[in-house]
């Protein structure tokens, strides 16, 4: 029944210093379909692969808009993510109410991190079974944060979590140097290509199974203008997918030289 | 404590001390409930007005804010977009009366409309928003938001919609409404110019035979003109109205905001 | 000493009279501050093209008594904003502590973020509005000076009812009557005129108004604080200024003024 004596609850360490319930929760994240996130100097992008539980069902929700400047994608238990995203939505609105400013991304990620951590230290509770990639923008620029059931949060330049995400991470590591200078479209392309790396052999990215979220800022003559978090679903995805399919060499001539896709 | 006091009351003579016998305090007891001298409201003056046509709604207000005879500022807008982070939003709220309550009300409604969009994945209809605003106001029935609110938008049929409220949430959909300090000056003008009250068909007879002038559909330009006239007239006769005119024009294309100067005296 | 241990160590009725327990079960509803006690008078603020000037005198009055003559009513926040407090001084000190702890909290775990004057004003207004809604008002009228999120000069007022407004020139209390008309001469076209106001013009106008207020406001003093917040986000604060160029020559001839007592 049990793997060992130390995984009945999340408040007991094993003699090796592990908390099995938390590790099992992290397994739940690995069961979820893959999501990819990456940032440039101006934008943060989330890309997700949606699954449908069966032929007859709709596809699950993988990317959730939290506020104008903030959104997340999830891998793992969708219901846990919904609870967390509701909490984040409330905190974000509250920050706008009391201070009249969008909540800093680091701050709100810290809040869910603290919530998740208490679940690992109180008897009778269970850790959240979901991993999140939180993309947002604040006065310091765009950010991407990873959140794990243990309560761990860290800022990332690029990240992928969920099933078969290792392949996507390999792609991200290989192209990491290019991301910082990417514009919105190029960053999206990289995101979709990374996602494609993690697909099973017989799978393709389609308008039905892909979700994209983008947030960023455009600067016109020194003034930064916020581009609200935009969620792409369904038919809106089609042009993005098409653009990412253009193999070898990004469309614009100026960057074509070094941004050649190294076919893996 | 209570049991100690009641126990010892009987023995107090023997004990030589007491907690139960009290000396009546003439100052604190005889005067009854004390009057609160803090009054939580003030009137910041100003006036608002809304008119609908078949394809649009216009909400307008002056931008003066007053305290008594002082002008706080010449630019304090009282017409607000609701749920404006969503470009498909077509809801506008104007509030006049106690400005702090007005702002609180605006922010509360705005939050609710944003949460609605988040939870339902679509924008709130004006009809639903109007109903919700009523319940918000009534929820503070015994400590009201001291404001006269007017809500404008586009209804499900693409027609201009306008709802007006009293401070505790009674509401009604109307063709046009003026609120605030100069409401009593503007409303009769609107009755006459929008609903053609007291206008008759020339030569249609006398007494009961006299026919009302038929109400017509007003164009956007006409209505904008009426709004301007209403405010320039109100400015002449009411000291709390002036400085600037803010107009929100709601059509199916979007919400357009216009500022124009008014007299500053 | 008697044989009732309960009575030992307690005040004896024959000496102190029976215990007055009226305070234990008061029949009155709970009541809060209904009027201010120690108060500060006007605060003035003017925007100019590169920042904001704000000033208030250093007097705290107890009714008509000039009780404390060296009270600093301009307080800085996060090194980038200045708040000028009018009204109750104890409520000012409470708010100052509150804002101090807010500042520490803000800077504790994150780097690079800070609340600007606009955020600060929003927060203060929320506190005022919450307290007035609880019938427990903070008896103040404050000006907040600093920069907004675009780095432009910001000046706004908030009061004990939670009422807020913003203008290129602001004055609280007596200053709303006496100083505001003089200050508005600087900005004939409101926000559009701010670009034509220099730092010197703004400072001179504020100093002149402080003088007028000292002449006519019986609860004012000739010692004052003045702060300039610049576009670079720096604060130049002077907390012990003295009014200059006062003219009391007219008083010579008037009975009851100056040295002539009767």
């Amino acid at each position: 029944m049990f793997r060992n004596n130390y995984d009945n609850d999340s408040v007991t360490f094993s003699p090796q210093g592990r908390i099995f319930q938390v590790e099992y929760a992290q397994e739940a994240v690995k069961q979820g379909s893959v999501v990819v996130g990456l940032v440039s100097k101006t934008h943060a992008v989330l890309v997700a692969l949606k699954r449908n539980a069966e032929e007859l069902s709709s596809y699950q929700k993988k990317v959730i808009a939290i506020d104008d400047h903030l959104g997340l994608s999830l891998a793992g238990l969708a219901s846990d993510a919904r609870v967390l995203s509701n909490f984040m939505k409330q905190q974000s609105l509250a920050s706008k109410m009391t201070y009249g400013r969008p909540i800093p991304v680091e701050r709100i990620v810290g809040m869910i991190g603290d919530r998740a951590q208490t679940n690992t230290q109180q008897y009778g509770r269970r850790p959240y079974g979901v991993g999140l990639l939180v993309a947002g923008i604040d006065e310091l620029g765009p950010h991407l944060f990873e959140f794990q059931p243990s309560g761990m949060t860290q800022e990332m330049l690029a990240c992928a979590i969920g099933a078969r995400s290792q392949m996507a991470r390999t792609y991200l590591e290989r192209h990491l140097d290019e991301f910082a200078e990417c514009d919105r479209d190029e960053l999206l392309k990289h995101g979709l290509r990374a996602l494609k790396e993690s697909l099973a052999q017989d799978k393709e990215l389609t308008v039905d199974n892909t979700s994209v979220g983008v947030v960023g800022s455009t600067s016109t003559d020194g003034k930064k203008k916020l581009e609200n978090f935009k969620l792409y679903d369904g038919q809106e995805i089609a042009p993005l997918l098409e653009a990412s399919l253009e193999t070898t060499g990004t469309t614009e001539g100026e960057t074509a030289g070094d941004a050649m896709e190294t076919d893996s | 404590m209570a049991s100690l006091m009641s126990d010892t009351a009987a023995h107090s003579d023997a004990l030589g001390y007491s907690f139960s016998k009290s000396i009546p305090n003439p100052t604190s007891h005889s005067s009854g409930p004390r009057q609160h001298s803090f009054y939580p409201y003030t009137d910041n003056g100003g006036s608002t007005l809304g008119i609908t046509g078949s394809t649009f709604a216009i909400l307008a207000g002056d931008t003066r804010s007053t305290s008594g005879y002082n002008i706080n500022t010449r630019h304090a807008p009282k017409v607000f977009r609701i749920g404006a982070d969503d470009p498909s939003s077509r809801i506008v709220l104007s509030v006049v009366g106690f400005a702090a309550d007005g702002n609180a009300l605006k922010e509360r409604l705005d939050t609710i409309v944003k949460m609605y969009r988040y939870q339902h994945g679509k924008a709130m209809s004006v009809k639903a928003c109007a109903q919700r605003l009523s319940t918000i106001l009534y929820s503070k029935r015994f400590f009201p938001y001291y404001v006269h609110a007017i809500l404008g938008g586009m209804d499900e049929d693409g027609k201009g919609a306008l709802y007006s409220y009293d401070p505790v949430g009674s509401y009604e959909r109307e063709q046009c409404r003026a609120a605030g300090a100069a409401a009593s000056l503007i409303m009769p003008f609107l009755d006459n110019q929008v609903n053609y009250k007291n206008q008759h068909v020339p030569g249609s007879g006398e007494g009961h035979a006299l026919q009302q002038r038929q109400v017509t559909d007003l164009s956007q330009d006409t209505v904008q003109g009426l709004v301007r006239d209403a405010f320039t007239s109100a400015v002449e006769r009411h000291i709390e109205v002036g400085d600037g005119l803010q107009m929100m024009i709601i059509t199916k294309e979007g919400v357009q905001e216009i500022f124009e100067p008014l007299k500053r005296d | 000493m008697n044989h009732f241990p309960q009575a030992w160590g307690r005040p004896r009725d024959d000496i102190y009279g029976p215990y007055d327990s009226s305070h234990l079960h008061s029949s009155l509803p709970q009541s809060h501050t209904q009027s201010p006690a120690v108060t500060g008078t006007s605060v003035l603020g003017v925007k100019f093209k590169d920042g904001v000037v704000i000033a208030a005198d250093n007097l705290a009055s107890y009714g008509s008594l000039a009780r404390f003559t060296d009270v600093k009513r301009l307080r800085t926040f996060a090194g980038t904003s200045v708040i000028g407090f009018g009204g109750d001084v104890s409520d000012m000190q409470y708010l100052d502590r509150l804002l101090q702890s807010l500042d520490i909290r803000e800077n504790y775990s994150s780097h690079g973020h800070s609340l600007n004057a606009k955020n600060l004003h929003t927060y203060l207004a929320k506190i005022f509005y919450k307290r007035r809604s609880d019938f427990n008002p903070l008896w103040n009228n404050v000006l907040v000076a600093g920069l907004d999120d675009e780095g432009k000069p910001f000046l706004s007022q908030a009061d004990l009812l939670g009422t807020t407004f913003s203008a290129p020139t602001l004055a609280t209390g007596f200053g709303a009557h006496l100083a505001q008309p003089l200050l508005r001469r600087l900005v004939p076209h409101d926000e559009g005129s701010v670009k034509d106001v220099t730092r010197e013009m703004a400072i001179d106008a504020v100093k002149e108004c402080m003088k007028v207020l000292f002449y006519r406001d019986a609860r004012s003093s000739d010692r004052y604080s003045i702060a300039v917040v610049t576009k670079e986000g720096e604060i130049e604060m002077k907390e012990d200024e003295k009014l200059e160029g006062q003219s009391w020559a007219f008083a010579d001839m008037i009975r009851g003024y100056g040295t002539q007592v009767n």
Side-chain angles (χ1 to χ4, degrees):
Chain A
M1 175 90 187
F2 298 115
R3 200 159 82 173
N4 56 57
N5 288 328
Y6 299 99
D7 67 353
N8 284 312
D9 55 61
S10 65
V11 301
T12 312
F13 278 107
S14 80
Q16 288 78 38
R18 299 163 62 177
I19 300 171
F20 284 102
Q21 279 298 322
V22 173
E23 291 183 21
Y24 299 163
Q26 267 152 350
E27 287 303 314
V29 178
K30 289 181 191 156
Q31 312 256 334
S33 66
V34 61
V35 293
V36 174
L38 58 168
V39 273
S40 71
K41 279 180 179 167
T42 56
H43 287 83
V45 164
L46 297 171
V47 188
L49 178 69
K50 292 187 287 188
R51 275 201 290 236
N52 52 345
E54 49 173 311
E55 281 297 298
L56 297 175
S57 78
S58 62
Y59 285 83
Q60 59 186 144
K61 214 173 177 181
K62 291 290 279 184
V63 181
I64 302 173
I66 302 292
D67 207 335
D68 288 354
H69 71 298
L70 198 64
L72 61 80
S73 58
L74 60 110
L77 295 184
S79 46
D80 282 14
R82 200 177 58 238
V83 168
L84 279 170
S85 69
N86 286 344
F87 171 75
M88 289 168 80
K89 175 90 185 170
Q90 264 159 17
Q91 291 300 319
S92 190
L93 283 173
S95 176
K96 277 234 177 81
M97 270 278 230
T98 36
Y99 303 108
R101 65 131 186 228
I103 193 164
V105 188
E106 186 188 8
R107 192 76 52 87
I108 198 165
V109 172
M111 285 175 174
I112 55 169
D114 289 351
R115 285 196 113 196
Q117 195 277 338
T118 55
N119 286 343
T120 70
Q121 222 179 7
Q122 282 174 18
Y123 192 81
R125 304 185 73 97
R126 77 162 169 81
Y128 289 110
V130 72
L132 304 177
L133 294 181
V134 182
I137 189 163
D138 54 36
E139 55 186 309
L140 297 178
H143 298 280
L144 175 71
F145 280 88
E146 180 192 0
F147 161 89
Q148 286 289 344
S150 59
M152 184 226 57
T153 59
Q154 60 185 342
E155 179 150 23
M156 305 296 280
L157 295 170
C159 188
I161 54 172
R164 303 165 57 86
S165 59
Q166 182 53 50
M167 266 91 86
R169 271 202 299 280
T170 309
Y171 176 93
L172 294 173
E173 282 163 18
R174 194 169 296 158
H175 295 267
L176 186 61
D177 300 338
E178 300 161 34
F179 298 155
E181 300 299 330
C182 278
D183 65 19
R184 183 190 160 105
D185 294 341
E186 289 167 348
L187 201 65
L188 272 170
K189 254 180 241 174
H190 276 302
L192 287 165
R193 282 176 190 165
L195 189 69
K196 212 172 345 178
E197 294 289 316
S198 283
L199 290 181
Q201 288 264 300
D202 54 338
K203 283 276 168 57
E204 274 295 326
L205 288 183
T206 66
V207 290
D208 292 321
N209 71 5
T210 317
S211 262
V212 171
V214 196
V215 67
S217 67
T218 44
S219 63
T220 39
D221 37 85
K223 282 219 167 165
K224 273 192 198 168
K225 198 179 171 297
L226 178 74
E227 270 177 41
N228 285 358
F229 188 88
K230 169 79 179 132
L231 181 58
Y232 295 90
D233 248 333
Q235 281 306 322
E236 287 178 298
I237 291 276
L240 303 178
L241 282 179
E242 242 162 69
S244 78
L245 287 176
E246 291 164 6
T247 47
T248 53
T250 36
T251 44
E252 279 75 48
E254 53 205 276
T255 48
D258 55 352
M260 296 274 274
E261 196 192 23
T262 45
D263 200 12
S264 47
Chain B
M1 195 70 198
S3 65
L4 181 82
M5 287 188 317
S6 52
D7 269 1
T8 53
H11 309 293
S12 62
D13 289 340
L15 292 173
Y17 78 97
S18 70
F19 277 160
S20 56
K21 283 186 193 164
S22 62
I23 304 165
N25 186 339
T27 51
S28 71
H29 283 279
S30 60
S31 61
R34 233 176 61 182
Q35 188 71 45
H36 282 253
S37 59
F38 174 65
Y39 186 66
Y41 295 113
T42 190
D43 183 2
N44 296 108
S47 228
T48 58
L49 136 67
I51 304 175
T52 56
S54 56
T55 58
F56 64 91
I58 295 186
L59 246 71
D62 69 320
T63 65
R64 179 176 287 183
S65 160
T66 62
S67 297
Y69 290 135
N70 291 324
I71 295 174
N72 291 330
T73 177
R74 299 190 190 279
H75 187 78
K78 1 186 178 297
V79 191
F80 306 102
R81 292 197 61 181
I82 298 295
D85 57 337
D86 174 15
S88 67
S89 154
R90 294 286 179 279
I91 300 176
V92 171
L93 174 73
S94 75
V95 279
V96 65
F98 176 33
D101 271 353
N103 279 313
L105 180 64
K106 169 210 54 171
E107 286 187 2
R108 200 161 148 190
L109 188 66
D110 192 50
T111 312
I112 285 166
V113 169
K114 279 180 179 162
M115 275 316 272
Y116 183 98
R117 167 147 186 92
Y118 173 68
Q119 280 166 343
H120 296 82
K122 61 171 188 188
M124 204 174 193
S125 68
V126 235
K127 195 180 172 185
C129 190
Q131 173 68 262
R132 190 68 183 84
L133 179 56
S134 171
T135 60
I136 294 171
L137 288 164
Y138 193 79
S139 73
K140 271 172 70 70
R141 170 63 179 79
F142 298 107
F143 184 23
Y145 287 118
Y146 222 132
V147 290
H148 284 269
I150 302 175
L151 191 78
M154 302 298 290
D155 69 9
E156 279 110 329
D157 305 326
K159 290 190 165 64
L162 194 75
Y163 295 84
S164 76
Y165 297 78
D166 82 346
V168 289
S170 307
Y171 78 115
E172 185 179 17
R173 185 170 173 177
E174 291 182 297
Q175 216 42 253
C176 63
R177 167 62 65 187
S184 55
L185 279 67
I186 297 174
M187 203 60 220
F189 169 75
L190 296 182
D191 286 338
N192 183 248
Q193 290 296 307
V194 177
N195 293 318
Y196 296 151
K197 290 284 157 62
N198 297 304
Q199 292 199 51
H200 303 282
V201 179
S204 59
E206 289 197 347
H208 290 296
L210 203 59
Q211 273 179 9
Q212 266 278 313
R213 183 181 163 194
Q214 207 60 41
V215 175
T216 53
D217 193 27
L218 297 173
S219 76
Q220 190 179 312
D221 285 343
T222 314
V223 170
Q224 252 173 278
L226 286 177
V227 170
R228 261 183 222 113
D229 291 349
F231 273 95
T232 40
S233 310
V235 167
E236 287 296 324
R237 291 288 182 173
H238 205 299
I239 56 167
E240 290 175 0
V241 182
D243 292 331
L245 173 61
Q246 177 197 19
M247 280 194 274
M248 290 273 205
I249 302 157
I250 310 144
T251 56
K252 68 177 192 304
E253 275 75 40
V255 182
Q256 188 196 3
E257 188 176 28
I258 299 173
F259 284 100
E260 287 173 11
L262 286 174
K263 280 169 72 171
R264 293 147 59 97
D265 54 4
Chain C
M1 190 79 72
N2 55 31
H3 298 283
F4 300 102
Q6 296 168 77
W8 297 349
R10 297 192 187 273
R12 282 165 52 183
D13 284 358
D14 55 338
I15 294 173
Y16 298 100
Y19 184 74
D20 177 8
S21 60
S22 60
H23 71 281
L24 290 171
H25 30 76
S26 163
S27 60
L28 294 173
Q30 194 191 343
S31 69
H32 300 292
T33 314
Q34 301 298 323
S35 62
V38 180
T39 58
T41 183
S42 320
V43 186
L44 309 180
V46 179
K47 278 203 251 186
F48 64 97
K49 64 184 166 83
D50 304 312
V52 193
V53 180
I54 183 169
D57 70 23
N58 293 350
L59 179 69
S61 311
Y62 182 67
S64 58
L65 173 71
R67 182 67 184 80
F68 305 104
T69 53
D70 192 23
V71 173
K72 310 296 191 282
R73 295 195 290 123
L74 298 187
R75 304 286 170 109
T76 57
F77 178 82
T80 52
S81 309
V82 182
I83 309 162
F85 288 90
D88 195 283
V89 170
S90 61
D91 286 347
M92 168 183 87
Q93 292 170 342
Y94 164 76
L95 280 169
D96 197 36
R97 287 196 296 276
L98 194 74
L99 294 175
Q100 218 66 44
S101 69
L102 171 70
D103 188 31
I104 290 168
R105 238 183 308 143
E106 276 296 304
N107 288 104
Y108 180 57
S109 60
S110 64
H111 36 85
H113 303 288
S114 58
L115 294 168
N116 58 36
K118 198 177 179 188
N119 303 142
L120 177 64
H121 174 259
T122 311
Y123 179 64
L124 273 173
K126 292 282 144 94
I127 291 174
F128 280 129
Y129 186 73
K130 170 76 170 66
R131 291 289 292 258
R132 85 99 217 187
S133 299
D134 294 343
F135 277 88
N136 187 15
L138 290 165
W139 218 284
N140 297 107
N141 210 332
V142 305
L143 297 189
V144 182
L147 304 174
D148 64 11
D149 32 51
E150 290 170 18
K152 288 194 296 206
F154 175 88
L155 177 64
S156 218
Q157 186 172 343
D159 71 10
L160 70 166
L161 295 176
T163 317
T164 59
F165 44 85
S166 182
T169 65
L170 284 174
T172 72
F174 229 88
H177 299 94
L178 286 181
Q180 184 72 304
L182 303 172
L183 294 174
R184 278 186 184 155
R185 293 212 284 232
L186 279 178
V187 283
H189 304 291
D190 297 321
E191 212 55 53
S193 300
V194 172
K195 62 176 188 337
D196 304 323
V197 182
T198 65
R199 179 195 168 105
E200 285 66 37
M201 286 162 74
I203 293 176
D204 289 349
V206 166
K207 286 186 172 175
E208 190 62 22
C209 286
M210 290 305 289
K211 197 160 72 185
V212 171
L213 282 167
F214 181 58
Y215 286 152
R216 289 293 173 185
D217 179 357
R219 306 284 175 268
S220 67
S221 104
D222 55 353
R223 298 281 174 168
Y224 66 99
S225 305
I226 186 164
V228 185
V229 189
T230 59
K231 259 189 176 164
E232 289 70 46
E234 283 163 30
I235 300 172
E236 293 162 42
M237 171 83 85
K238 291 178 189 155
E239 288 189 313
D240 196 25
E241 296 292 281
K242 190 160 172 23
L243 284 181
E244 287 163 1
Q246 291 178 52
S247 164
W248 290 93
F250 71 96
D252 253 9
M253 309 306 295
I254 302 171
R255 176 175 304 201
Y257 260 118
T259 50
Q260 190 185 344
V261 182
N262 44 34

